[in-house]
Amino acid sequence: MLRINRRGVLQVLGAGACASLTPKAFANNAQVVATRLWPSDLYTRMTLEVSAGVPFKYFTLDNPSRLVVDVSGISINEVLKSMPSKVLARDPFIQSIRVGQFNDTTVRIVMDLKRSVSPQVFSLLPAAEYKHRLVVDLFPTASAGVVQEEEEDALMALLKDYSTGQVKADGSTTAKAQTNIPKPQDTRPKATPENKTQIKRQIVIVIDPGHGGEDPGAIGPSGLREKDVVLAVSRELKKKLDSMGYKTHMTRNQDVFIPLGVRVATARKLQADLFISVHADAFTSPQPRGTGVYALSTGAATSTLAKHLADTQNASDLVGGVKKVGDRNVDQTLLDMTQTATIRDSLILGKYVLNALGRVNKLHKGHVDQAGFAVLKAPDIPSILVECAFISNPEEERLLSTSGFRVRVADAIAGGVKNYFDSGVALAQR
Ligand SMILES: [Zn+2]
């Protein structure tokens, strides 16, 4: 006999929608215009893109494990029929998907699962190119018995804390949060006690490839996706920094969406010494070009391009999609002297990195611009955002697609980091 576990509740789309609305309040002729599946080791996301907001409910079934999602106000169409064929054999969570018309007004989606999951189902309002979305995130349950890498486990815990509103936008976590990322071990030989050399901790650098999964970032005129380029550059950067003796950690190392707050929180949990976010610029016209480096501004942006960039990068959570839970707002007035000192260090780091990058590509500007980038908001970690080149410029899109350019950019960033530490600025702050 089936054991039915009804964890789901009726949910309604739209921030302004009221929970007392009946399904009748919604249009009954909404169309599913796209379905996407984003499998990853951390979590698998299923996205239904719909022409209008639609009510839904969901529940899990055991033996065998299944997740059932009932979506009202839609009818089965070719887009929905094609969904089962999108399941990949390598998906860690989904075995198969079945879709059927449950009754006149409801489509039932049944996911046959490879392991028990802890689902997060939520709706998103239209953002960027996307219409209304219904998002199903499948996280592994704690009892899934799957042994994961320690770091991956910690990222998973942060993602879960985030989804329940326990990670704030500045990356700090509330007391309830259980996350504990293991501190990187210092693997260098210990000094002998007699010479009393103070042992310094290995420098920890967090590398943050922008975007991922549902959020492609900017897309070049010939179709190159920012999320793929920046992951490739970040992997080169990690390789280089590792070879130079730094301890590195990537906020993502696959095509998965990680919320901005979780990226910052990862750096804070690791007590990172530096945070480097890797992006590729885009503008509304194809002409702008050149490499750029950005730091946080607590006031007005230093240029209109910097403001435009910060606005588009900060939209990542809207595009990639995060469930809104509780109040994660941070009072900007609370940014204190720590932040001011951190921004000063970020600008010095940025200048070293920009100088090095100037030997690889034309610079968009000769100085480090500043704006309110959400991903640079760790109050105590010098943080910069590197825009490798303009993906919206056809010539630079071509450059970004070559591994030679990616390696040169990564090597230049690493060189700038080394010069920053060699200058003693960072040491003086300890
Ligand atoms: Zn970006």
Side-chain angles (χ1 to χ4, degrees):
M1 204 184 83
L2 294 176
R3 191 161 62 82
I4 297 178
N5 174 13
R6 287 183 182 271
R7 272 187 261 175
V9 287
L10 181 73
Q11 305 215 13
V12 290
L13 267 182
C18 162
S20 65
L21 286 178
T22 63
K24 284 195 179 76
F26 291 87
N28 235 6
N29 54 355
Q31 291 291 315
V32 174
V33 295
T35 65
R36 289 180 289 275
L37 273 174
W38 301 108
S40 82
D41 297 337
L42 297 168
Y43 70 102
T44 284
R45 167 170 290 193
M46 183 204 78
T47 306
L48 282 191
E49 199 177 342
V50 192
S51 61
V54 285
F56 63 89
K57 57 184 177 180
Y58 66 96
F59 53 92
T60 54
L61 297 165
D62 296 329
N63 304 315
S65 291
R66 278 153 295 162
L67 173 68
V68 180
V69 183
D70 285 340
V71 188
S72 297
I74 59 169
S75 302
I76 198 154
N77 62 5
E78 291 306 313
V79 175
L80 277 167
K81 280 182 194 164
S82 72
M83 190 157 66
S85 67
K86 292 184 175 170
V87 178
L88 299 179
R90 66 173 171 87
D91 192 315
F93 301 94
I94 302 175
Q95 179 71 50
S96 59
I97 291 179
R98 289 171 281 141
V99 185
Q101 192 75 40
F102 183 64
N103 61 36
D104 283 355
T105 57
T106 302
V107 167
R108 172 162 283 187
I109 300 166
V110 180
M111 295 183 189
D112 300 301
L113 303 168
K114 290 177 179 172
R115 57 163 101 159
S116 63
V117 297
S118 161
Q120 291 273 355
V121 186
F122 56 97
S123 53
L124 294 170
L125 292 171
E129 308 297 310
Y130 295 135
K131 300 181 189 302
H132 289 268
R133 282 169 291 167
L134 174 60
V135 175
V136 178
D137 285 346
L138 305 176
F139 291 96
T141 52
S143 58
V146 178
V147 180
Q148 286 183 311
E149 292 291 323
E150 230 179 347
E151 287 187 350
E152 197 168 275
D153 229 13
L155 178 56
M156 181 87 64
L158 266 181
L159 281 166
K160 281 187 176 171
D161 288 345
Y162 186 86
S163 70
T164 51
Q166 292 168 57
V167 176
K168 294 181 178 167
D170 69 346
S172 59
T173 50
T174 62
K176 267 172 73 187
Q178 295 299 310
T179 312
N180 185 26
I181 293 186
K183 284 269 297 275
Q185 298 294 311
D186 190 338
T187 51
R188 293 173 307 172
K190 297 277 180 283
T192 50
E194 47 270 26
N195 66 18
K196 289 185 178 165
T197 309
Q198 203 192 348
I199 301 166
K200 278 190 298 175
R201 186 170 76 92
Q202 198 176 8
I203 289 170
V204 178
I205 299 171
V206 168
I207 304 164
D208 175 50
H211 313 279
E214 178 83 347
D215 171 21
I219 297 174
S222 74
L224 189 66
R225 298 183 303 188
E226 181 185 359
K227 67 174 181 179
D228 300 328
V229 172
V230 298
L231 181 56
V233 172
S234 296
R235 284 174 175 158
E236 294 297 339
L237 179 58
K238 176 178 171 52
K239 227 188 286 176
K240 186 71 181 176
L241 289 172
D242 285 348
S243 78
M244 293 160 77
Y246 299 110
K247 171 77 187 172
T248 58
H249 178 95
M250 289 171 72
T251 55
R252 72 173 176 98
N253 199 2
Q254 48 188 323
D255 187 14
V256 62
F257 174 73
I258 306 290
L260 295 175
V262 171
R263 296 167 190 255
V264 183
T266 302
R268 297 191 73 179
K269 286 283 175 188
L270 287 167
Q271 298 180 14
D273 297 276
L274 291 185
F275 180 88
I276 302 172
S277 195
V278 181
H279 289 257
D281 261 335
F283 202 64
T284 46
S285 62
Q287 290 83 18
R289 60 166 301 163
T291 301
V293 176
Y294 297 84
L296 179 66
S297 158
T298 55
T302 50
S303 76
T304 45
L305 177 69
K307 183 178 186 314
H308 169 80
L309 277 175
D311 289 348
T312 50
Q313 306 300 2
N314 292 349
S316 182
D317 278 356
L318 296 175
V319 179
V322 295
K323 186 181 180 182
K324 293 292 172 209
V325 185
D327 179 20
R328 283 194 300 271
N329 294 329
V330 178
D331 186 346
Q332 288 303 307
T333 60
L334 291 180
L335 291 169
D336 58 4
M337 282 162 66
T338 313
Q339 183 91 69
T340 308
T342 302
I343 291 176
R344 188 184 57 216
D345 284 359
S346 302
L347 288 169
I348 296 169
L349 166 68
K351 199 163 190 302
Y352 280 113
V353 171
L354 194 70
N355 284 345
L357 283 166
R359 292 190 277 275
V360 171
N361 192 26
K362 283 180 191 168
L363 295 179
H364 185 71
K365 277 187 183 171
H367 63 267
V368 179
D369 256 350
Q370 290 176 266
F373 292 95
V375 80
L376 303 182
K377 281 187 177 166
D380 47 357
I381 304 169
S383 303
I384 55 169
L385 188 142
V386 176
E387 298 277 2
C388 302
F390 274 81
I391 201 168
S392 51
N393 177 294
E395 199 182 323
E396 293 206 334
E397 183 195 28
R398 192 196 54 77
L399 270 181
L400 287 165
S401 72
T402 67
S403 65
F405 183 75
R406 293 168 178 179
V407 169
R408 288 198 297 280
V409 166
D411 287 358
I413 296 171
V417 166
K418 181 176 188 304
N419 291 342
Y420 168 76
F421 283 115
D422 286 353
S423 73
V425 174
L427 217 61
Q429 303 298 328
R430 292 185 185 187

